[in-house]
Amino acid sequence: MLTELHGAIAHLIAWLGAGGPWMFFGAMALLPCIGVPMTTFSLTAGTIFRDQLGIGGVVAAAVAATMANIALTYWLARGALRPVLRNLVEKRGHRLPEVESGDAKDLIVLVRVSPAPFFIKNYLLGLADVPLAPYFVISFVVEGFYTAGFTVFGDALLHGEGGKIVIGATVLVVAIAGTHFVRRHYGKKRKPARVHR
């Protein structure tokens, strides 16, 4: 089953890549809303489009698509999908999270550096009604860094370019180390965000 799913995703990525940058990066902005892993796109984008866009253009397009998805899922969680998501949460015996304004930034950071799937983090923060400006800025810093690292690393790995592999891997190691540091910092130095359930 898992092998078949991987094969289907590989075929989908190949088909989207054949449709050109607008189709590929448009899908990158949309499909993670339904759970398609963002790394599926970022790891393959450079290989497909670097001759056409250059690696800098690919990274910019990948980060833009990631941020478009982050904005879209926030809007869906705050509006169009809120009743559906509320029902899903409440059927499992939980209430929608309510965050006090002073704790919003802490919650955004903690959720962004958590190991949860990308789309779940987006919907959770939207359901928590965190303010848009810090949501977008913090998300850009954390997820943009990861997207850039995975895009450069994936491209370099598939082309066997040692220097770029090192650069991409370094960006990812720094991101992972930073994530670990932030988790420890918030775990030791900060009080937990007051989230009412």
Side-chain angles (χ1 to χ4, degrees), residues 113-133:
V113 300
S114 77
F118 177 75
F119 78 106
I120 290 177
K121 293 190 279 189
N122 294 346
Y123 284 125
L124 177 61
L125 290 170
L127 285 171
D129 286 330
V130 297
L132 178 60

mmCIF file with all atom_site columns, all heavy atoms in Angstrom, residues 113-133:
data_model
loop_
_atom_site.group_PDB
_atom_site.id
_atom_site.type_symbol
_atom_site.label_atom_id
_atom_site.label_alt_id
_atom_site.label_comp_id
_atom_site.label_asym_id
_atom_site.label_entity_id
_atom_site.label_seq_id
_atom_site.pdbx_PDB_ins_code
_atom_site.Cartn_x
_atom_site.Cartn_y
_atom_site.Cartn_z
_atom_site.occupancy
_atom_site.B_iso_or_equiv
_atom_site.pdbx_formal_charge
_atom_site.auth_seq_id
_atom_site.auth_comp_id
_atom_site.auth_asym_id
_atom_site.auth_atom_id
_atom_site.pdbx_PDB_model_num
ATOM 1   N N   . VAL A 1 113 ? 7.898   24.741 15.245 1.00 0.00 ? 113 VAL A N   1
ATOM 2   C CA  . VAL A 1 113 ? 9.090   23.911 15.439 1.00 0.00 ? 113 VAL A CA  1
ATOM 3   C C   . VAL A 1 113 ? 8.733   22.495 15.907 1.00 0.00 ? 113 VAL A C   1
ATOM 4   O O   . VAL A 1 113 ? 9.619   21.687 16.156 1.00 0.00 ? 113 VAL A O   1
ATOM 5   C CB  . VAL A 1 113 ? 10.107  24.547 16.415 1.00 0.00 ? 113 VAL A CB  1
ATOM 6   C CG1 . VAL A 1 113 ? 10.570  25.890 15.901 1.00 0.00 ? 113 VAL A CG1 1
ATOM 7   C CG2 . VAL A 1 113 ? 9.546   24.652 17.826 1.00 0.00 ? 113 VAL A CG2 1
ATOM 8   N N   . SER A 1 114 ? 7.449   22.207 16.012 1.00 0.00 ? 114 SER A N   1
ATOM 9   C CA  . SER A 1 114 ? 7.026   20.866 16.421 1.00 0.00 ? 114 SER A CA  1
ATOM 10  C C   . SER A 1 114 ? 7.204   19.894 15.249 1.00 0.00 ? 114 SER A C   1
ATOM 11  O O   . SER A 1 114 ? 7.270   20.303 14.085 1.00 0.00 ? 114 SER A O   1
ATOM 12  C CB  . SER A 1 114 ? 5.557   20.884 16.854 1.00 0.00 ? 114 SER A CB  1
ATOM 13  O OG  . SER A 1 114 ? 4.707   20.915 15.725 1.00 0.00 ? 114 SER A OG  1
ATOM 14  N N   . PRO A 1 115 ? 7.262   18.587 15.548 1.00 0.00 ? 115 PRO A N   1
ATOM 15  C CA  . PRO A 1 115 ? 7.424   17.597 14.468 1.00 0.00 ? 115 PRO A CA  1
ATOM 16  C C   . PRO A 1 115 ? 6.113   17.210 13.783 1.00 0.00 ? 115 PRO A C   1
ATOM 17  O O   . PRO A 1 115 ? 6.088   16.275 12.975 1.00 0.00 ? 115 PRO A O   1
ATOM 18  C CB  . PRO A 1 115 ? 8.025   16.392 15.211 1.00 0.00 ? 115 PRO A CB  1
ATOM 19  C CG  . PRO A 1 115 ? 7.508   16.502 16.606 1.00 0.00 ? 115 PRO A CG  1
ATOM 20  C CD  . PRO A 1 115 ? 7.390   17.990 16.883 1.00 0.00 ? 115 PRO A CD  1
ATOM 21  N N   . ALA A 1 116 ? 5.035   17.912 14.068 1.00 0.00 ? 116 ALA A N   1
ATOM 22  C CA  . ALA A 1 116 ? 3.743   17.582 13.453 1.00 0.00 ? 116 ALA A CA  1
ATOM 23  C C   . ALA A 1 116 ? 3.799   17.811 11.941 1.00 0.00 ? 116 ALA A C   1
ATOM 24  O O   . ALA A 1 116 ? 4.593   18.618 11.455 1.00 0.00 ? 116 ALA A O   1
ATOM 25  C CB  . ALA A 1 116 ? 2.641   18.445 14.074 1.00 0.00 ? 116 ALA A CB  1
ATOM 26  N N   . PRO A 1 117 ? 2.949   17.105 11.173 1.00 0.00 ? 117 PRO A N   1
ATOM 27  C CA  . PRO A 1 117 ? 2.887   17.346 9.723  1.00 0.00 ? 117 PRO A CA  1
ATOM 28  C C   . PRO A 1 117 ? 2.581   18.813 9.410  1.00 0.00 ? 117 PRO A C   1
ATOM 29  O O   . PRO A 1 117 ? 1.846   19.471 10.148 1.00 0.00 ? 117 PRO A O   1
ATOM 30  C CB  . PRO A 1 117 ? 1.752   16.429 9.258  1.00 0.00 ? 117 PRO A CB  1
ATOM 31  C CG  . PRO A 1 117 ? 1.717   15.332 10.277 1.00 0.00 ? 117 PRO A CG  1
ATOM 32  C CD  . PRO A 1 117 ? 2.076   15.994 11.584 1.00 0.00 ? 117 PRO A CD  1
ATOM 33  N N   . PHE A 1 118 ? 3.134   19.276 8.316  1.00 0.00 ? 118 PHE A N   1
ATOM 34  C CA  . PHE A 1 118 ? 3.033   20.680 7.905  1.00 0.00 ? 118 PHE A CA  1
ATOM 35  C C   . PHE A 1 118 ? 1.587   21.175 7.875  1.00 0.00 ? 118 PHE A C   1
ATOM 36  O O   . PHE A 1 118 ? 1.266   22.220 8.437  1.00 0.00 ? 118 PHE A O   1
ATOM 37  C CB  . PHE A 1 118 ? 3.688   20.820 6.523  1.00 0.00 ? 118 PHE A CB  1
ATOM 38  C CG  . PHE A 1 118 ? 3.603   22.184 5.915  1.00 0.00 ? 118 PHE A CG  1
ATOM 39  C CD1 . PHE A 1 118 ? 4.395   23.211 6.376  1.00 0.00 ? 118 PHE A CD1 1
ATOM 40  C CD2 . PHE A 1 118 ? 2.731   22.431 4.865  1.00 0.00 ? 118 PHE A CD2 1
ATOM 41  C CE1 . PHE A 1 118 ? 4.330   24.479 5.809  1.00 0.00 ? 118 PHE A CE1 1
ATOM 42  C CE2 . PHE A 1 118 ? 2.655   23.688 4.290  1.00 0.00 ? 118 PHE A CE2 1
ATOM 43  C CZ  . PHE A 1 118 ? 3.462   24.710 4.760  1.00 0.00 ? 118 PHE A CZ  1
ATOM 44  N N   . PHE A 1 119 ? 0.693   20.430 7.228  1.00 0.00 ? 119 PHE A N   1
ATOM 45  C CA  . PHE A 1 119 ? -0.679  20.922 7.074  1.00 0.00 ? 119 PHE A CA  1
ATOM 46  C C   . PHE A 1 119 ? -1.425  20.943 8.406  1.00 0.00 ? 119 PHE A C   1
ATOM 47  O O   . PHE A 1 119 ? -2.267  21.819 8.635  1.00 0.00 ? 119 PHE A O   1
ATOM 48  C CB  . PHE A 1 119 ? -1.435  20.103 6.022  1.00 0.00 ? 119 PHE A CB  1
ATOM 49  C CG  . PHE A 1 119 ? -1.929  18.757 6.475  1.00 0.00 ? 119 PHE A CG  1
ATOM 50  C CD1 . PHE A 1 119 ? -3.266  18.534 6.723  1.00 0.00 ? 119 PHE A CD1 1
ATOM 51  C CD2 . PHE A 1 119 ? -1.046  17.689 6.637  1.00 0.00 ? 119 PHE A CD2 1
ATOM 52  C CE1 . PHE A 1 119 ? -3.722  17.291 7.123  1.00 0.00 ? 119 PHE A CE1 1
ATOM 53  C CE2 . PHE A 1 119 ? -1.488  16.446 7.026  1.00 0.00 ? 119 PHE A CE2 1
ATOM 54  C CZ  . PHE A 1 119 ? -2.836  16.246 7.287  1.00 0.00 ? 119 PHE A CZ  1
ATOM 55  N N   . ILE A 1 120 ? -1.101  20.027 9.307  1.00 0.00 ? 120 ILE A N   1
ATOM 56  C CA  . ILE A 1 120 ? -1.746  20.027 10.625 1.00 0.00 ? 120 ILE A CA  1
ATOM 57  C C   . ILE A 1 120 ? -1.324  21.269 11.415 1.00 0.00 ? 120 ILE A C   1
ATOM 58  O O   . ILE A 1 120 ? -2.138  21.909 12.090 1.00 0.00 ? 120 ILE A O   1
ATOM 59  C CB  . ILE A 1 120 ? -1.420  18.731 11.390 1.00 0.00 ? 120 ILE A CB  1
ATOM 60  C CG1 . ILE A 1 120 ? -2.147  17.566 10.717 1.00 0.00 ? 120 ILE A CG1 1
ATOM 61  C CG2 . ILE A 1 120 ? -1.807  18.845 12.863 1.00 0.00 ? 120 ILE A CG2 1
ATOM 62  C CD1 . ILE A 1 120 ? -1.861  16.217 11.321 1.00 0.00 ? 120 ILE A CD1 1
ATOM 63  N N   . LYS A 1 121 ? -0.042  21.633 11.329 1.00 0.00 ? 121 LYS A N   1
ATOM 64  C CA  . LYS A 1 121 ? 0.428   22.839 12.012 1.00 0.00 ? 121 LYS A CA  1
ATOM 65  C C   . LYS A 1 121 ? -0.315  24.068 11.502 1.00 0.00 ? 121 LYS A C   1
ATOM 66  O O   . LYS A 1 121 ? -0.732  24.939 12.287 1.00 0.00 ? 121 LYS A O   1
ATOM 67  C CB  . LYS A 1 121 ? 1.941   23.007 11.823 1.00 0.00 ? 121 LYS A CB  1
ATOM 68  C CG  . LYS A 1 121 ? 2.764   21.940 12.500 1.00 0.00 ? 121 LYS A CG  1
ATOM 69  C CD  . LYS A 1 121 ? 4.232   22.244 12.498 1.00 0.00 ? 121 LYS A CD  1
ATOM 70  C CE  . LYS A 1 121 ? 4.910   21.895 11.215 1.00 0.00 ? 121 LYS A CE  1
ATOM 71  N NZ  . LYS A 1 121 ? 6.388   21.998 11.315 1.00 0.00 ? 121 LYS A NZ  1
ATOM 72  N N   . ASN A 1 122 ? -0.504  24.143 10.197 1.00 0.00 ? 122 ASN A N   1
ATOM 73  C CA  . ASN A 1 122 ? -1.205  25.292 9.608  1.00 0.00 ? 122 ASN A CA  1
ATOM 74  C C   . ASN A 1 122 ? -2.641  25.384 10.106 1.00 0.00 ? 122 ASN A C   1
ATOM 75  O O   . ASN A 1 122 ? -3.104  26.451 10.526 1.00 0.00 ? 122 ASN A O   1
ATOM 76  C CB  . ASN A 1 122 ? -1.208  25.187 8.081  1.00 0.00 ? 122 ASN A CB  1
ATOM 77  C CG  . ASN A 1 122 ? 0.177   25.311 7.486  1.00 0.00 ? 122 ASN A CG  1
ATOM 78  O OD1 . ASN A 1 122 ? 1.120   25.726 8.144  1.00 0.00 ? 122 ASN A OD1 1
ATOM 79  N ND2 . ASN A 1 122 ? 0.306   24.935 6.225  1.00 0.00 ? 122 ASN A ND2 1
ATOM 80  N N   . TYR A 1 123 ? -3.360  24.260 10.040 1.00 0.00 ? 123 TYR A N   1
ATOM 81  C CA  . TYR A 1 123 ? -4.761  24.272 10.454 1.00 0.00 ? 123 TYR A CA  1
ATOM 82  C C   . TYR A 1 123 ? -4.900  24.529 11.946 1.00 0.00 ? 123 TYR A C   1
ATOM 83  O O   . TYR A 1 123 ? -5.805  25.249 12.381 1.00 0.00 ? 123 TYR A O   1
ATOM 84  C CB  . TYR A 1 123 ? -5.453  22.957 10.078 1.00 0.00 ? 123 TYR A CB  1
ATOM 85  C CG  . TYR A 1 123 ? -5.783  22.854 8.610  1.00 0.00 ? 123 TYR A CG  1
ATOM 86  C CD1 . TYR A 1 123 ? -5.341  21.788 7.849  1.00 0.00 ? 123 TYR A CD1 1
ATOM 87  C CD2 . TYR A 1 123 ? -6.555  23.829 7.981  1.00 0.00 ? 123 TYR A CD2 1
ATOM 88  C CE1 . TYR A 1 123 ? -5.643  21.687 6.505  1.00 0.00 ? 123 TYR A CE1 1
ATOM 89  C CE2 . TYR A 1 123 ? -6.867  23.750 6.626  1.00 0.00 ? 123 TYR A CE2 1
ATOM 90  C CZ  . TYR A 1 123 ? -6.411  22.666 5.898  1.00 0.00 ? 123 TYR A CZ  1
ATOM 91  O OH  . TYR A 1 123 ? -6.717  22.578 4.561  1.00 0.00 ? 123 TYR A OH  1
ATOM 92  N N   . LEU A 1 124 ? -4.006  23.956 12.748 1.00 0.00 ? 124 LEU A N   1
ATOM 93  C CA  . LEU A 1 124 ? -4.068  24.167 14.191 1.00 0.00 ? 124 LEU A CA  1
ATOM 94  C C   . LEU A 1 124 ? -3.925  25.644 14.543 1.00 0.00 ? 124 LEU A C   1
ATOM 95  O O   . LEU A 1 124 ? -4.681  26.181 15.367 1.00 0.00 ? 124 LEU A O   1
ATOM 96  C CB  . LEU A 1 124 ? -2.976  23.356 14.895 1.00 0.00 ? 124 LEU A CB  1
ATOM 97  C CG  . LEU A 1 124 ? -2.883  23.531 16.413 1.00 0.00 ? 124 LEU A CG  1
ATOM 98  C CD1 . LEU A 1 124 ? -4.170  23.088 17.089 1.00 0.00 ? 124 LEU A CD1 1
ATOM 99  C CD2 . LEU A 1 124 ? -1.698  22.762 16.966 1.00 0.00 ? 124 LEU A CD2 1
ATOM 100 N N   . LEU A 1 125 ? -2.967  26.320 13.908 1.00 0.00 ? 125 LEU A N   1
ATOM 101 C CA  . LEU A 1 125 ? -2.768  27.737 14.195 1.00 0.00 ? 125 LEU A CA  1
ATOM 102 C C   . LEU A 1 125 ? -3.936  28.583 13.707 1.00 0.00 ? 125 LEU A C   1
ATOM 103 O O   . LEU A 1 125 ? -4.321  29.559 14.341 1.00 0.00 ? 125 LEU A O   1
ATOM 104 C CB  . LEU A 1 125 ? -1.449  28.213 13.586 1.00 0.00 ? 125 LEU A CB  1
ATOM 105 C CG  . LEU A 1 125 ? -0.200  27.656 14.276 1.00 0.00 ? 125 LEU A CG  1
ATOM 106 C CD1 . LEU A 1 125 ? 1.058   27.969 13.475 1.00 0.00 ? 125 LEU A CD1 1
ATOM 107 C CD2 . LEU A 1 125 ? -0.075  28.199 15.692 1.00 0.00 ? 125 LEU A CD2 1
ATOM 108 N N   . GLY A 1 126 ? -4.515  28.212 12.583 1.00 0.00 ? 126 GLY A N   1
ATOM 109 C CA  . GLY A 1 126 ? -5.708  28.922 12.118 1.00 0.00 ? 126 GLY A CA  1
ATOM 110 C C   . GLY A 1 126 ? -6.884  28.736 13.051 1.00 0.00 ? 126 GLY A C   1
ATOM 111 O O   . GLY A 1 126 ? -7.612  29.683 13.360 1.00 0.00 ? 126 GLY A O   1
ATOM 112 N N   . LEU A 1 127 ? -7.081  27.508 13.537 1.00 0.00 ? 127 LEU A N   1
ATOM 113 C CA  . LEU A 1 127 ? -8.165  27.234 14.473 1.00 0.00 ? 127 LEU A CA  1
ATOM 114 C C   . LEU A 1 127 ? -7.970  27.973 15.790 1.00 0.00 ? 127 LEU A C   1
ATOM 115 O O   . LEU A 1 127 ? -8.936  28.321 16.463 1.00 0.00 ? 127 LEU A O   1
ATOM 116 C CB  . LEU A 1 127 ? -8.260  25.730 14.747 1.00 0.00 ? 127 LEU A CB  1
ATOM 117 C CG  . LEU A 1 127 ? -8.876  24.876 13.633 1.00 0.00 ? 127 LEU A CG  1
ATOM 118 C CD1 . LEU A 1 127 ? -8.703  23.402 13.944 1.00 0.00 ? 127 LEU A CD1 1
ATOM 119 C CD2 . LEU A 1 127 ? -10.350 25.219 13.442 1.00 0.00 ? 127 LEU A CD2 1
ATOM 120 N N   . ALA A 1 128 ? -6.708  28.189 16.163 1.00 0.00 ? 128 ALA A N   1
ATOM 121 C CA  . ALA A 1 128 ? -6.414  28.905 17.407 1.00 0.00 ? 128 ALA A CA  1
ATOM 122 C C   . ALA A 1 128 ? -6.622  30.414 17.274 1.00 0.00 ? 128 ALA A C   1
ATOM 123 O O   . ALA A 1 128 ? -6.476  31.150 18.253 1.00 0.00 ? 128 ALA A O   1
ATOM 124 C CB  . ALA A 1 128 ? -4.983  28.617 17.848 1.00 0.00 ? 128 ALA A CB  1
ATOM 125 N N   . ASP A 1 129 ? -6.967  30.886 16.073 1.00 0.00 ? 129 ASP A N   1
ATOM 126 C CA  . ASP A 1 129 ? -7.207  32.314 15.832 1.00 0.00 ? 129 ASP A CA  1
ATOM 127 C C   . ASP A 1 129 ? -6.010  33.184 16.194 1.00 0.00 ? 129 ASP A C   1
ATOM 128 O O   . ASP A 1 129 ? -6.166  34.290 16.723 1.00 0.00 ? 129 ASP A O   1
ATOM 129 C CB  . ASP A 1 129 ? -8.443  32.806 16.597 1.00 0.00 ? 129 ASP A CB  1
ATOM 130 C CG  . ASP A 1 129 ? -9.737  32.327 15.966 1.00 0.00 ? 129 ASP A CG  1
ATOM 131 O OD1 . ASP A 1 129 ? -9.770  32.139 14.741 1.00 0.00 ? 129 ASP A OD1 1
ATOM 132 O OD2 . ASP A 1 129 ? -10.721 32.132 16.700 1.00 0.00 ? 129 ASP A OD2 1
ATOM 133 N N   . VAL A 1 130 ? -4.802  32.687 15.906 1.00 0.00 ? 130 VAL A N   1
ATOM 134 C CA  . VAL A 1 130 ? -3.630  33.523 16.164 1.00 0.00 ? 130 VAL A CA  1
ATOM 135 C C   . VAL A 1 130 ? -3.644  34.698 15.189 1.00 0.00 ? 130 VAL A C   1
ATOM 136 O O   . VAL A 1 130 ? -4.155  34.585 14.082 1.00 0.00 ? 130 VAL A O   1
ATOM 137 C CB  . VAL A 1 130 ? -2.316  32.712 16.029 1.00 0.00 ? 130 VAL A CB  1
ATOM 138 C CG1 . VAL A 1 130 ? -2.252  31.608 17.066 1.00 0.00 ? 130 VAL A CG1 1
ATOM 139 C CG2 . VAL A 1 130 ? -2.149  32.140 14.622 1.00 0.00 ? 130 VAL A CG2 1
ATOM 140 N N   . PRO A 1 131 ? -3.094  35.842 15.576 1.00 0.00 ? 131 PRO A N   1
ATOM 141 C CA  . PRO A 1 131 ? -3.097  37.017 14.685 1.00 0.00 ? 131 PRO A CA  1
ATOM 142 C C   . PRO A 1 131 ? -2.320  36.743 13.396 1.00 0.00 ? 131 PRO A C   1
ATOM 143 O O   . PRO A 1 131 ? -1.310  36.038 13.402 1.00 0.00 ? 131 PRO A O   1
ATOM 144 C CB  . PRO A 1 131 ? -2.419  38.097 15.527 1.00 0.00 ? 131 PRO A CB  1
ATOM 145 C CG  . PRO A 1 131 ? -2.522  37.634 16.934 1.00 0.00 ? 131 PRO A CG  1
ATOM 146 C CD  . PRO A 1 131 ? -2.511  36.137 16.889 1.00 0.00 ? 131 PRO A CD  1
ATOM 147 N N   . LEU A 1 132 ? -2.791  37.334 12.312 1.00 0.00 ? 132 LEU A N   1
ATOM 148 C CA  . LEU A 1 132 ? -2.212  37.063 10.996 1.00 0.00 ? 132 LEU A CA  1
ATOM 149 C C   . LEU A 1 132 ? -0.755  37.505 10.878 1.00 0.00 ? 132 LEU A C   1
ATOM 150 O O   . LEU A 1 132 ? 0.071   36.755 10.362 1.00 0.00 ? 132 LEU A O   1
ATOM 151 C CB  . LEU A 1 132 ? -3.044  37.752 9.910  1.00 0.00 ? 132 LEU A CB  1
ATOM 152 C CG  . LEU A 1 132 ? -2.540  37.590 8.471  1.00 0.00 ? 132 LEU A CG  1
ATOM 153 C CD1 . LEU A 1 132 ? -2.497  36.122 8.072  1.00 0.00 ? 132 LEU A CD1 1
ATOM 154 C CD2 . LEU A 1 132 ? -3.406  38.383 7.501  1.00 0.00 ? 132 LEU A CD2 1
ATOM 155 N N   . ALA A 1 133 ? -0.416  38.710 11.335 1.00 0.00 ? 133 ALA A N   1
ATOM 156 C CA  . ALA A 1 133 ? 0.942   39.232 11.115 1.00 0.00 ? 133 ALA A CA  1
ATOM 157 C C   . ALA A 1 133 ? 2.020   38.359 11.754 1.00 0.00 ? 133 ALA A C   1
ATOM 158 O O   . ALA A 1 133 ? 2.942   37.917 11.062 1.00 0.00 ? 133 ALA A O   1
ATOM 159 C CB  . ALA A 1 133 ? 1.045   40.671 11.595 1.00 0.00 ? 133 ALA A CB  1
#
